[in-house]
Amino acid sequence: MTTTGFLTDSTLCIGCKACEVACKEWNQLPDDGYEWSGHSYDNTQALGHSTWRHVKFVEDTPEPAVGGNLGEQLPAWSFSSDVCKHCEVAGCLEACPTGAIVRMEFGAVFIQPDICNGCSYCVVSCPFGVVQRNEEDGRAFKCTFCSDRQRAGLKPACAQACPTESIRFGPLDELRDQAQDRLKKLAARGIEDAVIYDPTETSVEGIHALFLMRGDPRTYNLPQQPEVPTIYQKKGWTSAVIAAGSMLALALLSFLGESK
Amino acid sequence: MSHTGGRVPDYESERRLAELRQTASQTGRVEGKGVAVQGAPFPQASPADGYYGIPLLKEPQWKKEVPLYFFVGGAAGASAIIASSAGWLSADRDLVRKARWIAAAGSVLSAALLTKDLGVPSRFINMLRVFKPQSPMSMGAWTLTVFSASSVSAALANFLRAKELSAGPLILLENGSGMLAAASGLIMSSYTGVLIGATVVPVWNRHVGTLPMHFAASGLNSVVSILELMGHEDNRALNRLALAASAYEVAQGVAIESKRDRVNRPLQKGASGFIVRIGGLLSGPAPLALRIAYAVTGNKKLRRAAAVSSIAGSLLTRFGWMSAGKASAKDYALPLRPTYSKPEAPIKLHERQDRAIKTSA
Ligand code: SF4
């Protein structure tokens, strides 16, 4: 099967949160409580075990004359719908000790709910802070890439509900090309600061949920250098071997003096 | 009449309302922030602060069972090593017996603690569905399984041998499973450093190269001390081991304290820093000094004090690292950096002015 992906284009997003609602409805996710966060119109704040799509509301510094902002210096708004990145090399999948997290035929990273035992090691292995354990249920949850819908030949719920095609879904290579085209179109209209977020140069080796946004991706909490924690293991196990060797040697030496 | 929560009006609240009414009628507007949302004021969304300073990473969700498991499992693992070394080289059968029992009891307790922390404890067995070398959690589960089985059977063989039942096969069983327990015990006492080091949590992965040695030294230090307090306070080999472990912990403490930057901050500041520091003090300098004093004076009280200090220090060390990891994951600024562990480069004032000039030009 072809590898599918998302291209979430922030320059088209109107912040309606239809994707968040569609995701919750299709996947039957519980609500996140009704709390005011104080962060613009965003009361969801972050992805989590019950939030698999999350619209970020970034208030940019006032730019006079942008968006009809002539007199009063009102902040400009950018929206971006965040989601699990379905990493090419996924920290969560590498870390999972039960084999509950698997790679699906269309490239998605999927947690099998009937196998997950809630060890929560994936939580500290995701460089994007996506996956989380539901403390009531005990298991870890995240975006399934609507694997059930994809298998039925349908688009994921969020992409289906998005009214502006800010969330595009399709074969990953096509989306990569479309993202480049979009950058060119935007540049032709004088928008020079748009970028594609696709960390192919790191140990994550690229993601299946691409993002296009204006400005610095870090403003949207996207790390500049996401790394799969597997890269630290060599150093760690080396240290463990040294520790084991010295402990054994020390114990033998100490008791050697005591032999009778 | 009972009221259903809320505030009770008092002189101050009514005075404030009158004040608001007065300024509103006089000036047509009211100054004042209202009630600040908890945590306000929030950082603006920016490349340095990310998305309103909301942490990018998720906090480790392990509860107190896990640091406790690190302590128990580390001590049990080291105990199996002592049991086999002493069994082979020393004539002290009582030491061997006690070390075997600590290993066995610790291994059972470890499994219980680890299982209890699972979100779905009944599915512990799923850990043994796959053998996955690239997952330290999987390696840990397998190690613990082998360690429990071998240390329990070594302890049982030791017990039956003492009852002077048919000795031949029992000696074979004790030595064989004891060797296996010692081998898996070596991993038990150090792998937990790999487990937390190979994660996205900045303060943990910064120290991945030393955490396994640190935890191994800590485990050795604690179990040697436990054995001393169980009546082996004259054993010179144990004292030597404790001296080495405490000396290592001193070096580890110095290494942690000598690098001061934002990644290391949870090890030095705040509640987590406090626990790490107390734990470090009790594991390194305190027992080392006490043991040296014991060597000079021969006063056993000093040695006992060193043992108590080491045990407490070892326990606190694991809790300290756990809470440092939680604090580190909450530090929103760290994962936004080009590399997690790159030290903070302070911007000098004149550079800042330069930047302001450049952007306004
Ligand atoms: S973003 Fe996180 S949860 Fe999603 S695939 Fe990558 S590591 Fe796993």
Side-chain angles (χ1 to χ4, degrees):
Chain A
M1 270 196 80
T2 46
T3 301
T4 53
F6 281 133
L7 169 60
T8 309
D9 185 344
S10 161
T11 63
L12 291 174
C13 182
I14 56 171
C16 69
K17 304 191 194 182
C19 52
E20 267 193 57
V21 175
C23 175
K24 275 206 189 280
E25 280 197 13
W26 173 261
N27 294 300
Q28 303 184 1
L29 300 175
D31 70 70
D32 307 303
Y34 302 94
E35 310 261 328
W36 298 117
S37 69
H39 302 297
S40 195
Y41 275 42
D42 178 5
N43 295 314
T44 311
Q45 302 197 60
L47 293 171
H49 62 82
S50 62
T51 307
W52 301 350
R53 267 279 178 193
H54 165 230
V55 183
K56 288 173 176 166
F57 284 64
V58 171
E59 291 183 3
D60 295 318
T61 32
E63 272 183 78
V66 166
N69 195 8
L70 291 171
E72 290 283 313
Q73 299 236 314
L74 293 172
W77 249 345
S78 308
F79 318 110
S80 181
S81 180
D82 199 6
V83 70
C84 168
K85 317 308 179 273
H86 295 281
C87 307
E88 198 60 56
V89 181
C92 60
L93 193 156
E94 303 262 309
C96 179
T98 61
I101 307 188
V102 290
R103 178 84 55 188
M104 303 297 273
E105 60 271 34
F106 33 83
V109 176
F110 181 72
I111 309 180
Q112 302 173 79
D114 51 339
I115 293 174
C116 173
N117 68 7
C119 77
S120 79
Y121 196 43
C122 54
V123 176
V124 284
S125 302
C126 171
F128 299 99
V130 171
V131 62
Q132 192 180 30
R133 179 164 79 184
N134 178 341
E135 294 294 0
E136 271 160 42
D137 176 283
R139 293 170 297 176
F141 293 96
K142 70 169 194 73
C143 162
T144 65
F145 219 149
C146 277
S147 294
D148 41 1
R149 295 179 57 84
Q150 285 205 50
R151 228 180 265 119
L154 295 168
K155 277 187 193 177
C158 52
Q160 184 69 40
C162 178
T164 63
E165 286 198 1
S166 167
I167 301 177
R168 279 194 231 182
F169 170 79
L172 186 61
D173 349 324
E174 283 176 31
L175 290 180
R176 283 208 164 101
D177 296 341
Q178 285 178 25
Q180 294 296 342
D181 287 350
R182 179 75 186 154
L183 275 196
K184 281 186 205 115
K185 274 197 197 120
L186 286 171
R189 281 168 38 190
I191 297 173
E192 307 271 2
D193 61 348
V195 291
I196 299 168
Y197 185 78
D198 185 11
T200 47
E201 304 291 297
T202 75
S203 53
V204 169
E205 292 179 20
I207 49 184
H208 292 192
L210 315 172
F211 297 88
L212 192 152
M213 68 247 312
R214 291 183 63 184
D216 193 318
R218 288 178 293 174
T219 314
Y220 301 82
N221 251 356
L222 292 169
Q224 198 169 31
Q225 180 90 21
E227 300 283 8
V228 189
T230 325
I231 59 168
Y232 306 113
Q233 279 183 24
K234 202 172 157 209
K235 227 175 158 186
W237 285 120
T238 310
S239 168
V241 168
I242 297 173
S246 352
M247 247 200 318
L248 191 61
L250 266 175
L252 292 177
L253 279 176
S254 298
F255 285 106
L256 203 57
E258 300 302 296
S259 58
K260 297 198 177 115
Chain B
M1 197 187 90
S2 74
H3 61 87
T4 53
R7 287 174 61 186
V8 180
D10 57 12
Y11 174 77
E12 186 48 36
S13 67
E14 299 318 291
R15 191 200 56 73
R16 173 66 182 149
L17 293 177
E19 184 185 59
L20 283 174
R21 184 190 163 101
Q22 201 185 359
T23 34
S25 72
Q26 276 170 5
T27 63
R29 53 181 294 185
V30 184
E31 299 285 351
K33 296 198 300 285
V35 173
V37 183
Q38 205 184 8
F42 303 110
Q44 276 285 311
S46 75
D49 292 333
Y51 184 63
Y52 299 110
I54 297 173
L56 189 168
L57 299 171
K58 288 271 178 286
E59 227 181 283
Q61 287 177 285
W62 289 321
K63 293 182 288 278
K64 61 179 184 312
E65 285 85 6
V66 172
L68 210 52
Y69 159 65
F70 288 1
F71 171 75
V72 174
S79 197
I81 304 160
I82 292 178
S84 282
S85 314
W88 192 29
L89 293 170
S90 152
D92 192 344
R93 300 326 298 172
D94 184 59
L95 177 68
V96 177
R97 186 177 62 86
K98 280 179 181 150
R100 290 235 183 281
W101 278 110
I102 293 175
S107 77
V108 174
L109 188 56
S110 291
L113 286 167
L114 198 58
T115 308
K116 182 149 184 285
D117 187 74
L118 293 180
V120 192
S122 57
R123 290 190 186 167
F124 177 83
I125 198 72
N126 285 10
M127 290 279 193
L128 308 180
R129 259 183 97 238
V130 289
F131 183 81
K132 207 167 153 184
Q134 79 265 38
S135 167
M137 181 67 93
S138 172
M139 290 299 93
W142 281 103
T143 306
L144 178 58
T145 308
V146 173
F147 180 68
S148 307
S150 54
S151 56
V152 168
S153 71
L156 284 177
N158 179 287
F159 172 74
L160 294 175
R161 248 178 92 184
K163 295 252 170 268
E164 276 166 41
L165 292 165
S166 60
L170 282 176
I171 293 175
L172 209 63
L173 181 65
E174 183 181 349
N175 289 348
S177 43
M179 289 252 274
L180 195 57
S184 49
L186 287 169
I187 310 174
M188 277 297 288
S189 52
S190 57
Y191 96 89
T192 47
V194 188
L195 184 80
I196 65 166
T199 64
V200 294
V201 176
V203 75
W204 287 349
N205 67 42
R206 149 81 66 90
H207 294 279
V208 66
T210 48
L211 268 171
M213 293 192 267
H214 181 25
F215 282 5
S218 188
L220 185 64
N221 209 358
S222 60
V223 83
V224 165
S225 301
I226 292 171
L227 285 166
E228 285 177 336
L229 293 180
M230 285 171 82
H232 291 276
E233 53 193 16
D234 289 321
N235 191 305
R236 292 212 307 272
L238 291 181
N239 195 36
R240 276 197 285 270
L241 282 172
L243 273 169
S246 307
Y248 183 84
E249 294 289 69
V250 171
Q252 174 72 34
V254 171
I256 290 173
E257 291 293 333
S258 58
K259 188 154 183 164
R260 306 192 158 264
D261 60 7
R262 191 150 173 168
V263 177
N264 269 358
R265 194 176 293 169
L267 299 174
Q268 294 154 354
K269 301 247 163 71
S272 60
F274 182 73
I275 308 175
V276 170
R277 281 181 163 168
I278 299 286
L281 222 54
L282 292 179
S283 322
L288 189 65
L290 286 166
R291 280 184 198 278
I292 291 172
Y294 160 73
V296 176
T297 63
N299 185 343
K300 270 190 209 157
K301 274 193 193 135
L302 293 169
R303 185 167 171 182
R304 249 175 269 146
V308 172
S309 167
S310 296
I311 297 167
S314 174
L315 186 62
L316 284 177
T317 296
R318 317 306 167 85
F319 276 91
W321 276 96
M322 188 55 64
S323 62
K326 292 189 180 185
S328 185
K330 269 193 263 183
D331 187 343
Y332 58 83
L334 292 176
L336 297 165
R337 296 180 176 184
T339 54
Y340 284 14
S341 49
K342 201 173 160 196
E344 217 166 352
I347 302 177
K348 292 193 198 85
L349 200 61
H350 66 269
E351 283 176 21
R352 248 189 229 157
Q353 280 160 352
D354 281 357
R355 278 188 202 178
I357 292 162
K358 263 177 221 141
T359 40
S360 62

